[in-house]
Amino acid sequence: MNVLFICLGNICRSPMAEGLFLHHLKQLNVSEQFLVDSCGTGGWHSGEMADERMLRTASGNGITLTHRARQLRPEDLDVFDYLLVMDHQNLKDVLSLYPDQAHKVKLITDLSPAHKNQVIPDPYFGTMKGFEEVYELLNQVTLQVAHHIIKKHL
Ligand code: 4NP
């Protein structure tokens, strides 16, 4: 299965989601059956590593992020089975570009029963505490996403 995590800048939330999801897949011994990537609806940070605060939060928890930011591109809609966005603005932006692909595009929290009706808040303009909170939330949510997709498709 091919899974793409999408946020606004692709330097905070979606690279962290990608790193945590890969970590869970490895623990569950299914990583070879997945292609995983992340991107942003915007391209302002293309080519950059994740935000230094997100890198620090990740490494403090034993996760190394190596992703370089890139913008969502039309081929992604062909390559990926699941395009998982972080918030309602991301959802609106992706669906307005690709309205006929709505069946592939979901709020990430919609795949985690315990987190329905929540979003992953943008930590960019906040404090380190916000980055820690996003990490904890994504750690839980991406594990549920892994269980959901494994149960449904593998
Ligand atoms: P992300 O966070 O969407 O989680 O990567 C942001 C990163 C950059 C900006 C906004 C949000 N920005 O305005 O540059």
Side-chain angles (χ1 to χ4, degrees):
M1 295 303 294
N2 300 343
V3 182
L4 181 66
F5 295 97
I6 305 174
C7 62
L8 176 61
N10 193 212
I11 53 169
C12 299
R13 293 165 293 175
S14 62
M16 191 68 250
E18 176 191 352
L20 281 165
F21 187 65
L22 277 170
H23 172 78
H24 294 314
L25 294 182
K26 283 186 190 131
Q27 301 260 305
L28 294 163
N29 272 315
V30 292
S31 58
E32 284 173 14
Q33 294 171 71
F34 283 81
L35 172 70
V36 184
D37 198 2
S38 66
C39 70
T41 55
W44 316 282
H45 295 279
S46 288
E48 295 176 18
M49 298 291 290
D51 184 283
E52 191 270 329
R53 296 162 295 174
M54 198 82 254
L55 288 173
R56 203 159 12 117
T57 305
S59 68
N61 287 283
I63 308 269
T64 305
L65 302 182
T66 57
H67 181 77
R68 294 231 172 227
R70 71 170 179 86
Q71 190 167 20
L72 178 67
R73 48 191 179 228
E75 310 89 273
D76 290 326
L77 280 297
D78 301 324
V79 171
F80 292 95
D81 305 296
Y82 284 88
L83 287 85
L84 302 179
V85 303
M86 302 295 138
D87 63 28
H88 293 287
Q89 185 62 50
N90 304 154
L91 190 62
K92 200 173 152 215
D93 290 343
V94 176
L95 291 180
S96 69
L97 284 169
Y98 305 106
D100 56 343
Q101 300 289 321
H103 57 287
K104 290 187 172 188
V105 186
K106 293 179 170 54
L107 263 179
I108 187 172
T109 42
D110 281 352
L111 271 57
S112 176
H115 299 93
K116 275 221 181 350
N117 303 318
Q118 290 188 48
V119 296
I120 312 298
D122 185 348
Y124 188 69
F125 294 105
T127 63
M128 275 312 288
K129 184 161 172 279
F131 281 81
E132 287 290 345
E133 286 167 1
V134 163
Y135 172 87
E136 293 299 336
L137 186 54
L138 281 173
N139 190 25
Q140 294 175 25
V141 171
T142 54
L143 180 59
Q144 295 312 311
V145 171
H147 286 311
H148 174 93
I149 295 178
I150 288 166
K151 195 171 159 195
K152 194 159 176 186
H153 300 283
L154 301 194

